[in-house]
Amino acid sequence: MTVKHRAAIDELVSYTPGRTPTGGRPQVKLSSNEMPYGPLPHVVRALAEAGTTLNRYPDFHRIELTAALARRHDVDPAQVVVDNGSGALLQVLASVIAGPGDEILYAWRAFESYPIVTTVAGAASVRVPLDDGYAHDLPAMADAVTDRTRMVIVCNPNNPTGTVVSAADLEHLLDAVPDDVLVVLDEAYHDFVTDPRSADGLDLVRRRPNIAVLRTFSKAYGLAGLRVGYCVTRPETAALIRKSIVGFSVSTLAQAGALASLTPEAGVELKERVAHVIAERTRVADHLTALGVRIVPSQANFIFMPMPDGPARAAAFEERGVILRAYGTDGLRMTVGTAEENDLFLRIAADVLPRG
């Protein structure tokens, strides 16, 4: 006997996280797009200090962190909303913006939470296939906008393929979207982008009335275990989000860790770590290409390899101590790790990955 519920939930495919090491044998986890390094020392000290206050509730309004993010991005604090990860903000946005009879439009394949938040909001998904280069097909997305469209999501860089949309191409899509339809720019991997053509959502927020930018401390900042992300948008849209988020959802530790990550002291080492990931991304990509393995050029902290038998290849890697993420018949994704972890991946890749 199951309690009465919305039938659409039965059709949901649950989010599948990257596998974590299990059993007694050592395994390298390159499946979840995490930063390969622990929190910065400056952040660890801030967390230890904040730990002495855990008998008190966290700041409900995240005032100090919101103000710091507003200064960082040169926006009004009224434009910033902090919550329990950018995924939580996406869930709130979908529920606030769309409902039964409405549509949420996004590229596919992209972040697996998009169909989930759409269905939970009661809206219908409109999936636009990626183009031949595994990037957003923005003209096709523009053509898919209807009078039922309430929200458009652009993942930039796209997860799991690592491709970006150019500023010029995104402007064309925005011109086709009515000003009262929200365009969400999911920029979780923005810190790893080196392509100067890539769009920057914060620039668009200042010029367009219907943009919401999502960013996170889980990736480049190495705070995935704390769960803290933020949205930058127009004050009116931010007010809608604040009305709908769960109270006290950002813990004292999460706020302290994120705030410490924004200091100049932390910023210097953070840039060095990001630069290392970018350099390793290039090295791994070049090595795979030299092996004859087909890859998608990436602007994120991972590399996608199209192949029809990703699960079987992932199983072969796991047998030899490296956990990757398979996407059915679409392909295989590896997260860029430390140099040593990447070397192990490449040694196995030479034996088990297909060529061409």
Side-chain angles (χ1 to χ4, degrees):
M1 177 68 68
T2 303
V3 297
K4 294 179 180 179
H5 60 281
R6 288 171 41 215
I9 304 301
D10 292 331
E11 305 303 319
L12 271 179
V13 177
S14 299
Y15 180 82
T16 304
R19 282 181 40 73
T20 55
T22 57
R25 59 192 180 123
Q27 291 178 310
V28 171
K29 183 185 179 187
L30 301 179
S31 57
S32 294
N33 297 345
E34 299 153 328
M35 197 66 165
Y37 312 106
L40 298 167
H42 178 69
V43 174
V44 172
R45 292 193 293 270
L47 292 174
E49 183 176 343
T52 64
T53 69
L54 294 183
N55 57 310
R56 305 295 184 187
Y57 281 109
D59 175 8
F60 184 95
H61 296 291
R62 304 86 147 131
I63 292 173
E64 197 173 358
L65 179 55
T66 297
L69 286 165
R71 289 193 300 272
R72 166 65 63 92
H73 297 305
D74 192 25
V75 296
D76 191 305
Q79 295 180 253
V80 180
V81 186
V82 179
D83 203 9
N84 183 30
S86 58
L89 285 160
L90 182 68
Q91 178 77 74
V92 172
L93 277 169
S95 298
V96 165
I97 299 297
D102 298 330
E103 296 174 346
I104 295 179
L105 170 68
Y106 51 88
W108 195 256
R109 175 179 291 267
F111 185 36
E112 289 180 302
S113 284
Y114 300 160
I116 295 174
V117 302
T118 300
T119 300
V120 171
S125 284
V126 177
R127 302 185 186 188
V128 178
L130 298 175
D131 65 19
D132 292 342
Y134 294 89
H136 283 55
D137 188 339
L138 295 183
M141 292 181 71
D143 290 342
V145 174
T146 72
D147 58 2
R148 294 176 59 194
T149 305
R150 293 293 175 270
M151 192 164 91
V152 178
I153 307 173
V154 176
C155 191
N156 189 46
N158 186 48
N159 178 21
T161 61
T163 52
V164 293
V165 299
S166 74
D169 290 342
L170 184 56
E171 292 279 5
H172 290 307
L173 171 65
L174 296 176
D175 288 341
V177 176
D179 285 347
D180 59 355
V181 173
L182 185 68
V183 178
V184 178
L185 304 179
D186 186 348
E187 297 187 341
Y189 303 95
H190 175 80
D191 297 278
F192 303 103
V193 174
T194 58
D195 187 342
R197 300 170 300 173
S198 179
D200 185 334
L202 293 176
D203 173 60
L204 291 166
V205 164
R206 297 181 178 93
R207 297 188 289 105
R208 298 268 186 171
N210 58 333
I211 303 295
V213 179
L214 299 180
R215 293 192 180 178
T216 181
F217 286 87
S218 294
K219 306 304 179 184
Y221 289 88
L223 299 181
L226 288 181
R227 307 303 305 132
V228 56
Y230 60 98
C231 176
V232 182
T233 186
R234 287 296 178 95
E236 313 85 70
T237 307
L240 295 174
I241 302 171
R242 289 194 189 92
K243 287 181 180 180
S244 306
I245 59 179
V246 176
F248 302 109
S249 59
V250 185
S251 72
T252 297
L253 293 180
Q255 293 185 51
L259 191 60
S261 297
L262 296 174
T263 63
E265 179 181 353
V268 173
E269 189 170 354
L270 176 71
K271 288 181 179 179
E272 292 175 352
R273 290 182 172 193
V274 169
H276 172 79
V277 171
I278 292 171
E280 281 295 294
R281 177 183 74 196
T282 300
R283 183 176 74 89
V284 172
D286 289 347
H287 198 120
L288 290 172
T289 300
L291 286 174
V293 176
R294 185 185 177 202
I295 67 168
V296 177
S298 175
Q299 287 289 298
N301 68 332
F302 53 82
I303 296 172
F304 187 74
M305 297 157 280
M307 61 187 70
D309 57 349
R313 306 287 179 172
F317 269 94
E318 192 162 340
E319 276 295 311
R320 298 176 61 169
V322 173
I323 304 174
L324 304 179
R325 178 67 191 275
Y327 287 84
T329 58
D330 292 334
L332 191 62
R333 188 194 71 195
M334 70 84 63
T335 303
V336 177
T338 65
E340 294 76 18
E341 291 170 341
N342 298 332
D343 285 342
L344 176 58
F345 163 79
L346 288 170
R347 286 197 295 272
I348 302 171
D351 292 335
V352 305
L353 286 184
R355 307 297 202 270

